[in-house]
Amino acid sequence: MITLEKLTKSFPGNPSPVLALREVSLEIDAGSLYGVFGPAEAGKSTLARCIALQEKPDRGTVRLDGLNTAALDGRRLREVRRQVAVLNPVLHEERTAAGNVAAPLEQLGVDGPQRRSRVGRLLDVAGLTQRAAQRPGELTPGQRRRVALARALVSGPAVLLADDPTAGVAPEEAGGVLAVLDRARAELGVTVLLTTQDAGVVRRVCDEVAVLDAGQVVESGALLNLLATPHSRIADTLLPAVETPRAQTAGYERTADVVLIGFAAVGALLPEASTRFDVELATIGGGLTRVGDTPVARFRVGVRGGQADAALAWIGDRGAHVTRLADGPKRLVAA
């Protein structure tokens, strides 16, 4: 587990210091794929460097599996740093893909057979077994990034920090890069921390997320839980918009925004409520998306019938988040 306790970091500035992190506290579970999401200059890269022990915070503590890293120096600090790999996208142009992945093992003095076995395994994780003999100039930007990830993982770290892992990679190749991060977590047991400005990256691979803005954590937690949380910033970013004209809602006794998570809820909950309470229940806005492998919907629904309130309450009782709209879509009343 990675534990951050009131982490604060500033840099010299003119006329006053620039505060990059402001009392950031987080817990990142071992084996998770954790995303730090936010706009440019939110402090994401500074946070990653502090966790990698490349930057020392002004105040606060970074703990790795309970170990206070501020108390480390010399040999012990170097040992702990080796457990935290950092994605470096720059490759050695004169080396093959396999040669790039092997470089950290050569520096550690790992013998030839063991080195070849480990390199082969990581090229497989990166989906690049057939590209092992090619040099970086022969690879696409996405393939190059996957080589860099394999190199970061080859020495067996406990933690991988990937600062903006899809930067400079075309959208059609970004999925391959994210698949390597997912396999590193699932197959190698590595705790993966990534930073990104791209909400699509969070949607596709993250279990948990922290939203960082101006150096502060504005919300954090399990991603699917946040999507069902009222006024969540990450939910507003990831879920389909639900704006509808006022005239479209006028013919219903009740209107509400409903967030449904999971196959059963998305596929059956609204039709079952309609049948059970003998109401007309129409989807008049919103849509469906996917978070990892989980379908998530945010619909604006109109309900007509004598048991409209009971139908909405029943939907909420079965795990959906229901926000009723009073006097049109501008006034929200949480159910």
Side-chain angles (χ1 to χ4, degrees), residues 216-232:
Q216 292 181 299
V217 175
V218 296
E219 66 184 22
S220 64
L223 181 55
L224 291 177
N225 290 343
L226 289 175
L227 294 182
T229 300
H231 314 301
S232 162

Side-chain angles (χ1 to χ4, degrees), residues 203 238-241 260 262 266-267 285-291 294-299:
R203 179 189 290 112
L238 294 184
L239 295 180
L260 306 166
V266 170
L288 179 68
T289 189
R290 188 172 289 271
V291 178
T294 304
V296 179
R298 178 163 64 177
F299 294 133

Side-chain angles (χ1 to χ4, degrees), residues 37-99:
F37 172 74
E41 300 184 0
K44 302 185 299 296
S45 296
T46 301
L47 181 63
R49 290 196 300 272
C50 287
I51 296 172
L53 310 182
Q54 295 174 339
E55 292 275 4
K56 194 168 185 179
D58 301 342
R59 296 186 301 278
T61 304
V62 177
R63 297 184 188 275
L64 301 178
D65 288 334
L67 182 66
N68 184 354
T69 59
L72 303 176
D73 58 14
R75 180 179 176 181
R76 184 66 176 127
L77 179 59
R78 290 191 295 272
E79 290 173 352
V80 172
R81 276 178 174 161
R82 280 199 291 269
Q83 290 299 305
V84 183
V86 179
L87 171 64
N88 176 2
V90 179
L91 300 179
H92 299 291
E93 297 294 332
E94 74 283 358
R95 281 178 168 252
T96 63

Side-chain angles (χ1 to χ4, degrees), residues 26-28 32-38 193-194 196 198-199 201-203 206-212 217-227 232-235 238:
L26 291 173
E27 285 192 355
I28 301 169
S32 66
L33 207 165
Y34 198 103
V36 178
F37 172 74
L193 174 69
L194 66 84
T196 186
D198 184 349
V201 169
V202 174
R203 179 189 290 112
C206 292
D207 307 313
E208 299 178 81
V209 65
V211 180
L212 203 62
V217 175
V218 296
E219 66 184 22
S220 64
L223 181 55
L224 291 177
N225 290 343
L226 289 175
L227 294 182
S232 162
R233 185 180 299 192
I234 198 69
L238 294 184

